[in-house]
Every structure is written in structure tokens, then in C-alpha cells.
């Protein structure tokens, strides 16, 4: 009988994602994690809410794409936004979906469909936050208990303060500090904001660790690579 | 080795009345002792919690109960959710009557914004919108019918996406 595997709280994937066993991940085949992403307990990711209209060639059936070095805290929720689409009735669909014809509108079909959600690198999502954004750029810090409305677009380097509610369809520009209900841009972040928003250890700390370990053992390229993989 | 029985399965199932067109995810949790009634075309997302420990729950037609919601009636009089109600992610419903088309006693066609709270015993009139940090206004746009049509389309698409397993909850 093989030795019993020790069960930690986290499962680590090949690309270094750490996913808690207690997280709720639905439709995992529609979720892409970039690597080095940490998903804590009780975090809910709704990959099952995928497109129901014909998927485009590029994105396929992906519902949620998360970049590298993201951190999803306890009890946070990621769910793709959905809306009714208006598009010309495809002739090959059978049976035909409900058709709405206005006075000045061409023949349209209206169907509800979820849209894929894209999250960049170094995105932190705080405890209990609900994210239904369409797009979140890189270096975005979402504090705890926030609600990001449907189809919101958040650009790079944004800090969202605790308890903020961002209205649906809002666009938040880069380098902004957002707070309040509804969330508005209250301040600008300095140009150096990116360093403070990184979810990875800063480079100088990595070098410190490498030098620390180098004191105990001879430093080979393999050792340095291992350290980088750990971090 | 068979999987260990989960503690939630040991809890007695409440008597449930589910309409035949209900979409209920397998990981939704229905607990308690009082009856739970769910109307036609209602969607219960995975991990929604309906706890009837203190009173019966009645949910109308064309409702959407999202994940991580908690629906717990406060007393034996029970909790009634009308037709066409959407309970969004992370909501807690402990009120007594929720009117049709809306999302404590809440009237018809109301909308409660994210993170808003309605206090105990409060009555929210028809067509009220509660938003921000407790501001209220009356929605006079008359878009209730349009919203209802959108909701029905939403439910149609969820019917495709959420694998339903009502047999687990029928006893």
C-alpha cells in the first residue's frame, strides 16, 4: 500500500497556483489561472456561467481568465457578468429564438448570455468582495467587502478601498484611488504605485533570501531557480 | 474507499414542494424542519442556503437565488418571496414578505442596491430603490415589464448552464 499522502489545505498546480481545497470552483474547465495565483478557502469562482451564444473563435468557452500573481482572499466571489445581447438572427439557428422587431430596428434576437471576465496580473481581491467586472487590469488592489458591479472595467494600477460599491458599467482609469458608495475616484495614485501594488515579493527581498541561503549552501543556478520557483 | 458522509447529509431534509420546472443545483443547501416551497421556473444557484429551522419558506415563480445567499425566516410565520425576485450574491434575507418583481416587508418592484440594509420591522413601499448608504427614491420609470422579460431570458440561459438535480431534495 502506498504511503498515505499528506493532505495540506492547498493544492498546487503545475504552474504554481495554490488553490484551497475549501474553495468553491464551479466549471473549472472554463477557468484559466495564469500561474502563482493563490485562491483561499471559501472563495467562489463561477466558471460555469459561460457564454450561451455562439462563442467567438479566440476566446472559446473561457468564462474567467486570471493572470499571474493574483490573490483571491477568503469568501471572495468571482462571477462573470451577463446581459441580453442584441444581434441579427442567425439563419442557421433552429428553432429560432424570440424575435423582437421594432419600428426602426432590423430583425434582432435578444438572448441573455454571460460574458467572459478577464483579470490581469498582481490583482488582489480582499475578503468578502464580489467581483462581476468585465475587465480588471494589472496591479489592482481590491480591499475587503467591495462589490464590483457588472461589466465594470478597471484599468491598471488602481486601489479600491474597503467597502466600495462600484456601479455596473463603470470605467475606472489607471492610477486612481476609488472609495465610497457608489465608488468614485477620490484621489490619484503616484507614478510609483505599481511597486506597492505588486503581489509578489519585491526584487530586493528575493535577493536577500538568495544571499541568506547562499550563506548555508553553495549557490548554483539550480538553487537560484528553486528559490524563484518557491517565491 | 467510499467517500465519507458529509455532515450536511446527516441533517434531516425539510419537506419540500418543488415545481417541475425548477432549476436547483445539487450543491444548494435546503435545511430545517419547516416546509420549503419553490415555484415554477425558479433558479437556485449552487451553494445557496435556504434554512427553514424557524419557519416555512415560500418562493414564487421566475426567481433567481444566487450563490452564497442565506434565506432564513425569523419566526414560524415564515418567509414569502414573490414572483420574479432576484436575490443576488451574498445577500441575507430574514424578512417576512418580499413582493413580486423586487429583490423585511418589501413592496412590489423594489430594488435594493449592494450592501444596503433594511432594518427589522421596516416596510419598504412599492417601486422603492434603496441605494448607496441608505438613500431611497421611488422608481417611476415603469420599466417593470421590461425587467421581467429580461429576467425570463436570464432564467432561460441559466437553465442551460446550471445542472439541475431536484431529485436530491425531494423526500
Amino acid at each position: 500500500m502506498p504511503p498515505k499522502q499528506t493532505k495540506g489545505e492547498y493544492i498546487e498546480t503545475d504552474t504554481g497556483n495554490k488553490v484551497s481545497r475549501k474553495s468553491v470552483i464551479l466549471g473549472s474547465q472554463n477557468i484559466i489561472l495564469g500561474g502563482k495565483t493563490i485562491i483561499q478557502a471559501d472563495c467562489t469562482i463561477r466558471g460555469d456561467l459561460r457564454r450561451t451564444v455562439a462563442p467567438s473563435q479566440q476566446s472559446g468557452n473561457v468564462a474567467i481568465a486570471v493572470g499571474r500573481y493574483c490573490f483571491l482572499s477568503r469568501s471572495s466571489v468571482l462571477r462573470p457578468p451577463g446581459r441580453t445581447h442584441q444581434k441579427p438572427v442567425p439563419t442557421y439557428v433552429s428553432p429560432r429564438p424570440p424575435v423582437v422587431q421594432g419600428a426602426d430596428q432590423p430583425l434582432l434576437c435578444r438572448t441573455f448570455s454571460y460574458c467572459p471576465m478577464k483579470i490581469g496580473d498582481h490583482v488582489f481581491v480582499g475578503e468578502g468582495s464580489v467581483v462581476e467586472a468585465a475587465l480588471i487590469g494589472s496591479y489592482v488592489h481590491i480591499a475587503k467587502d467591495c462589490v464590483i458591479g457588472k461589466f465594470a472595467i478597471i484599468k491598471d494600477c488602481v486601489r479600491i478601498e474597503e467597502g466600495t460599491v462600484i456601479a455596473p458599467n463603470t470605467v475606472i482609469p489607471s492610477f486612481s484611488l476609488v472609495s465610497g458608495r457608489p465608488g468614485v475616484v477620490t484621489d490619484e495614485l503616484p507614478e510609483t504605485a505599481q511597486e506597492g501594488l505588486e503581489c509578489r515579493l519585491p526584487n530586493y527581498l528575493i535577493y536577500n533570501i538568495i544571499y541568506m541561503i547562499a550563506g548555508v549552501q553553495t549557490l548554483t543556478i539550480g538553487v537560484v531557480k528553486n528559490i524563484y520557483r518557491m517565491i | 474507499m467510499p467517500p465519507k458522509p458529509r455532515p450536511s447529509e446527516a441533517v434531516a431534509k425539510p419537506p419540500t414542494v418543488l415545481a417541475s420546472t425548477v432549476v436547483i443545483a445539487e450543491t444548494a443547501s435546503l435545511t430545517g424542519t419547516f416546509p420549503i416551497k419553490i415555484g415554477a421556473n425558479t433558479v437556485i444557484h449552487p451553494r445557496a442556503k435556504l434554512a427553514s429551522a424557524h419557519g416555512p419558506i415560500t418562493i414564487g415563480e421566475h426567481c433567481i437565488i444566487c450563490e452564497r445567499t442565506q434565506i432564513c425566516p425569523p419566526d414560524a410565520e415564515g418567509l414569502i418571496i414573490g414572483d420574479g425576485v432576484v436575490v443576488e450574491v451574498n445577500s441575507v434575507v430574514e424578512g417576512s414578505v418580499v413582493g413580486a418583481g423586487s429583490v423585511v416587508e418589501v413592496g412590489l418592484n423594489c430594488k435594493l442596491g449592494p450592501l444596503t440594509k433594511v432594518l427589522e420591522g421596516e416596510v419598504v413601499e412599492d417601486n422603492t430603490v434603496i441605494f448607496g448608504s441608505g438613500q431611497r427614491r421611488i422608481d417611476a420609470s415603469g420599466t417593470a415589464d421590461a425587467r421581467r422579460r429580461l429576467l425570463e431570458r436570464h432564467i432561460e440561459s441559466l437553465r442551460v448552464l446550471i445542472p439541475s438535480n431536484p431529485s436530491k431534495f425531494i423526500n
Side-chain angles (χ1 to χ4, degrees):
Chain A
M1 201 177 140
K4 202 184 171 194
Q5 218 175 1
T6 48
K7 267 196 174 176
E9 203 205 321
Y10 288 92
I11 301 165
E12 194 171 344
T13 66
D14 295 339
T15 45
N17 299 302
K18 291 189 173 67
V19 182
S20 170
R21 289 175 197 277
K22 290 174 191 153
S23 61
V24 181
I25 296 180
L26 298 153
S28 52
Q29 68 274 24
N30 302 327
I31 299 173
I32 293 179
L33 298 177
K36 308 276 186 187
T37 288
I38 297 171
I39 298 172
Q40 286 199 317
D42 223 10
C43 174
T44 310
I45 304 183
R46 296 298 305 265
D48 56 336
L49 304 180
R50 56 170 211 277
R51 270 176 197 278
T52 39
V53 294
S56 63
Q57 288 281 311
Q58 304 155 342
S59 63
N61 246 340
V62 174
I64 297 180
V66 180
R68 288 163 65 80
Y69 297 103
C70 291
F71 192 99
L72 309 175
S73 310
R74 295 177 70 87
S75 315
S76 54
V77 179
L78 296 188
R79 80 200 303 263
R83 65 172 166 203
T84 40
H85 287 266
Q86 290 194 359
K87 56 174 211 167
V89 179
T91 45
Y92 54 86
V93 173
S94 165
R96 287 165 81 87
V99 171
V100 180
Q101 194 166 26
D104 52 349
Q105 283 175 317
L107 203 60
L108 293 171
C109 74
R110 292 186 182 177
T111 49
F112 186 95
S113 173
Y114 283 93
C115 289
M117 169 183 196
K118 197 168 178 301
I119 293 182
D121 305 337
H122 297 272
V123 173
F124 178 92
V125 180
E127 260 177 58
S129 289
V130 179
V131 179
E132 290 188 85
L135 182 83
I136 293 182
S138 297
Y139 302 99
V140 175
H141 182 100
I142 300 171
K144 64 176 194 177
D145 299 328
C146 293
V147 178
I148 314 292
K150 294 183 176 73
F151 290 101
I153 294 175
I154 299 172
K155 304 276 181 157
D156 299 346
C157 288
V158 174
R159 189 180 283 274
I160 297 169
E161 300 210 309
E162 201 181 309
T164 304
V165 175
I166 292 182
N169 303 313
T170 313
V171 180
I172 308 278
S174 289
F175 293 98
S176 29
L177 179 74
V178 185
S179 61
R181 290 182 198 176
V184 283
V185 178
T186 47
D187 205 353
E188 236 173 65
L189 294 181
E191 281 174 31
T192 54
Q194 183 180 324
E195 282 171 27
L197 292 166
E198 242 173 64
C199 292
R200 187 177 62 157
L201 276 181
N203 263 337
Y204 70 89
L205 274 181
I206 296 177
Y207 293 136
N208 277 355
I209 293 170
I210 289 174
Y211 283 123
M212 257 164 52
I213 294 169
V216 224
Q217 56 177 294
T218 38
L219 199 63
T220 57
I221 294 172
V223 171
V224 175
K225 271 188 183 165
N226 269 339
I227 294 166
Y228 262 97
R229 203 185 302 152
M230 279 182 330
I231 298 165
Chain B
M1 200 169 77
K4 281 183 200 164
R6 295 196 165 209
S8 62
E9 286 172 23
V11 179
K13 284 183 192 173
T16 48
V17 181
L18 304 180
S20 58
T21 48
V22 160
V23 177
I24 180 161
E26 196 173 350
T27 50
S29 93
L30 272 59
T31 57
T33 46
F34 285 91
I36 297 178
K37 259 187 212 170
I38 301 175
N41 294 315
T42 284
V43 178
I44 314 277
H45 278 262
R47 306 277 169 161
K49 279 197 185 105
L50 280 71
S52 68
H54 302 292
I57 299 175
T58 309
I59 297 177
E61 293 176 11
H62 289 101
C63 292
I64 300 177
I65 313 289
C66 288
E67 70 269 22
R68 303 176 61 83
T69 53
Q70 290 177 34
I71 296 178
C72 339
D75 50 36
E77 285 181 20
L79 188 154
I80 299 167
I81 293 181
D83 294 347
V85 178
V86 181
V87 182
E88 277 279 5
V89 186
N90 273 357
S91 317
V92 178
V93 183
E94 291 181 336
S96 48
V97 182
V98 181
S102 70
V103 193
V104 213
E105 184 166 346
V106 183
L108 296 166
N109 301 321
C110 289
K111 179 171 179 166
L112 308 186
L115 301 183
T116 51
K117 282 177 188 157
V118 178
L119 299 179
E120 209 174 309
E122 216 174 330
V123 177
V124 181
E125 287 173 31
D126 292 0
N127 298 316
T128 307
V129 181
I130 305 184
F131 60 100
S133 43
Q135 291 103 314
R136 296 183 180 201
R137 69 180 177 87
I138 300 287
D139 180 10
S141 61
T143 52
D145 289 342
R147 280 200 308 225
R148 180 65 185 253
R149 281 200 296 277
L150 289 180
L151 182 64
E152 281 168 19
R153 292 203 188 100
H154 190 171
I155 290 171
E156 281 310 309
S157 76
L158 286 175
R159 196 180 286 284
V160 181
L161 294 174
I162 296 180
S164 178
N165 187 8
S167 58
K168 189 192 157 188
F169 300 99
I170 293 171
N171 44 7

